[in-house]
């Protein structure tokens, strides 16, 4: 029974989140004690559901771009012809961690203008490192016996990569993607400072009007999304690990 408790709690969290996004007015009585001077309890400058979907879209686009570049770089530097480019690749993917997202936004706005594009650049750069490093780890720690068996079976380099290396490394790669997504979910809120449509709008509106309810709404929605997506990707990661024979089924 205890094993089902986390699943039940996640289900409850998902149900409450959906209910709040679809019908936020139901929760107004819970937020009214936080208000002053008859301020609105529910964010009233736009749809919370729409902002949430736009927030997720921004994170998804940036993450897909980071996956493509980071995984490609990691594959290239683990091939004999690309090994010498490993230090350069590490330097490139570390750019996002070297510059704070706010600094990236400040540099990107004069070039790309206000809106979603500067935010995508910041999230893309910030999400590269965990995906690259995990892909590198996954591809360089494969069982030697499995690789020898693949060579003995007459597989080409491309066949070994697509049919053996990437499938076996996928749980580790997915762990990096999971970390990148969670970081991006939180970081995307600052995109609203440059007019991107994210849940940061709700938090900023709350700070500007001293409305704690608004700040709480934006923060809780982002937190709930991070927990649910983290758990979902963790479940997929465990499933892939079992299929690859890397963990037991117990």
């Amino acid at each position: 029974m205890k094993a089902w408790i986390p699943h039940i709690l996640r289900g409850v969290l998902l149900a409450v989140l959906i209910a709040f996004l679809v019908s936020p007015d139901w929760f107004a009585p819970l937020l009214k004690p936080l208000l002053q001077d008859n301020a609105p309890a529910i964010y009233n400058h736009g749809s919370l559901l729409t902002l949430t979907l736009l927030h997720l879209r921004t994170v998804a686009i940036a993450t897909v771009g980071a996956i493509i570049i980071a995984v490609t770089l990691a594959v290239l530097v683990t091939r004999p012809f690309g090994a010498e480019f490993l230090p350069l690749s590490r330097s490139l993917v570390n750019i996002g961690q070297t510059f704070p997202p706010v600094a990236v936004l400040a540099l990107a706005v004069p070039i790309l203008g206000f809106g979603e594009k500067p935010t995508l650049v910041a999230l893309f750069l910030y999400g590269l490192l965990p995906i690259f490093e995990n892909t590198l780890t996954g591809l360089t720690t494969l069982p030697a016996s499995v690789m020898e068996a693949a060579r003995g079976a007459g597989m080409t380099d491309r066949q070994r990569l697509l049919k053996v290396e990437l499938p076996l490394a996928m749980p580790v790669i997915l762990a990096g993607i999971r970390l990148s997504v969670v970081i991006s979910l939180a970081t995307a809120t600052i995109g609203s400072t440059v007019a991107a449509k994210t849940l940061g709008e709700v938090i900023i509106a709350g700070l500007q009007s001293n409305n704690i309810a608004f700040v709480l709404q934006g923060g809780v929605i982002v937190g709930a999304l991070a927990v649910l997506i983290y758990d979902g990707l963790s479940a997929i990661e465990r499933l892939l690990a079992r299929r690859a024979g890397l963990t037991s089924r117990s």
Side-chain angles (χ1 to χ4, degrees):
M1 178 62 184
K2 289 183 179 180
W4 285 97
I5 292 178
H7 299 291
I8 295 172
L9 292 177
R10 292 183 198 110
V12 171
L13 177 61
L14 177 60
V16 171
L17 177 61
I18 292 174
F20 182 74
L21 293 176
V22 174
S23 301
D25 290 335
W26 293 354
F27 298 82
L30 297 176
L31 297 170
K32 282 191 180 296
L34 302 174
L35 304 175
Q36 298 176 355
D37 301 325
N38 296 317
I42 302 298
Y43 181 69
N44 57 355
H45 300 298
S47 166
L48 287 172
L49 177 58
T50 299
L51 285 175
T52 300
L53 293 176
L54 291 173
H55 189 104
L56 290 173
R57 185 190 70 175
T58 300
V59 171
I61 293 172
T63 301
V64 169
I67 291 171
I68 293 171
I69 298 302
V71 172
T72 300
L73 280 176
V75 169
L76 289 176
V77 299
T78 53
R79 307 303 99 180
F81 62 83
E84 62 183 298
F85 296 106
L86 177 58
L88 176 60
S89 297
R90 274 212 165 102
S91 298
L92 289 174
V93 300
N94 270 292
I95 290 176
Q97 304 295 323
T98 303
F99 290 95
V102 174
V104 176
L105 289 176
L107 293 171
V109 166
I111 301 171
L112 301 174
F114 288 90
E116 186 181 34
K117 291 180 181 179
T119 307
L120 288 173
V121 172
L123 297 184
F124 166 77
L125 292 175
Y126 219 55
L128 284 172
L129 182 61
I131 301 173
F132 175 80
E133 289 294 343
N134 275 51
T135 304
L136 195 63
T137 299
L139 292 175
T140 56
T141 57
L142 296 172
S145 58
V146 174
M147 298 306 298
E148 286 299 324
R151 292 189 186 94
M155 286 186 175
T156 64
D157 291 343
R158 182 175 180 178
Q159 287 174 328
R160 286 200 303 271
L161 174 65
L162 297 178
K163 296 183 178 181
V164 179
E165 295 181 57
L166 286 176
L168 288 176
M170 192 55 65
V172 182
I173 296 172
L174 191 57
I177 295 172
R178 169 165 47 88
L179 178 58
S180 180
V181 170
V182 171
I183 292 173
S184 293
L185 278 169
T187 307
T189 56
I190 68 170
S192 292
T193 61
V194 293
K197 288 290 184 179
T198 74
L199 288 164
E201 275 193 20
V202 185
I203 297 173
I204 292 172
L207 293 173
Q208 290 176 337
S209 61
N210 196 28
N211 189 321
I212 299 176
F214 284 5
V215 177
L216 184 64
Q217 286 164 56
V220 168
I221 293 172
V222 172
L225 289 173
V227 169
L228 291 170
I229 292 175
Y230 183 95
D231 283 350
L233 291 176
S234 294
I236 296 173
E237 182 185 332
R238 290 191 296 270
L239 176 61
L240 292 175
R242 285 198 297 269
R243 288 185 174 179
L246 300 177
T247 59
S248 64
R249 295 181 177 272
S250 57

